[in-house]
Amino acid sequence: TQLGPLAETVLRREPSINYIDPAADAFAGVISPVLQQAGFTKVVITGHDGSASNLEAMAHHDTLQGMTIANPPEGYTGWLIVNQVARGILGDPAVNVGLGGRVIDATNIGNGSTAAIYPGFSGFQSSFLKAWGEQ
């Protein structure tokens, strides 16, 4: 409850601030409405989680959050976890899979859908099923 008013106080004291990084996308959802209501519409909030609600707000211009560094889609991450658990159950070695982040902003957010934001992950399920001998 204090994060939004705290950000507003900081901007009133230091009006030359152009960017705020609140450490997590969830906090952007708390800070943005307070700053918008206070008239601080030129400050840009940054983030690094790529949470679905924040991506939707960014796509619809309902937030001051202008960018985030997003992990792969949650569904893909879930399939990776199932794959690793299955490998452990079968006694197979774990696979080291890097989950690189992707900068998401107005230039590549499109309509905010998973397909628009993560075009390279379209149909990833079939790759897992093929590796598991299901296809």
Side-chain angles (χ1 to χ4, degrees):
T1 59
Q2 296 177 8
L3 191 55
L6 179 60
E8 179 183 357
T9 299
V10 169
L11 287 175
R12 291 198 186 284
R13 288 184 188 158
E14 297 292 335
S16 64
I17 292 174
N18 296 317
Y19 295 90
I20 295 177
D21 184 356
D25 276 1
F27 300 140
V30 174
I31 294 171
S32 183
V34 172
L35 296 184
Q36 287 172 306
Q37 188 174 26
F40 292 102
T41 57
K42 296 194 188 245
V43 68
V44 177
I45 299 173
T46 63
H48 62 77
D49 299 326
S51 69
S53 61
N54 289 60
L55 292 170
E56 182 178 344
M58 286 172 59
H60 294 96
H61 309 289
D62 292 335
T63 181
L64 294 175
Q65 186 169 359
M67 67 79 59
T68 188
I69 300 174
N71 290 323
E74 293 173 356
Y76 177 77
T77 304
W79 280 65
L80 279 175
I81 292 168
V82 168
N83 185 61
Q84 293 288 46
V85 169
R87 294 177 74 77
I89 290 170
L90 295 172
D92 292 343
V95 177
N96 186 7
V97 179
L99 295 177
R102 178 170 187 236
V103 174
I104 307 295
D105 63 13
T107 66
N108 61 3
I109 196 164
N111 64 6
S113 69
T114 299
I117 296 170
Y118 308 101
F121 288 90
S122 180
F124 70 84
Q125 298 89 340
S126 62
S127 297
F128 280 101
L129 293 173
K130 184 177 178 182
W132 297 339
E134 299 292 322
Q135 283 186 341

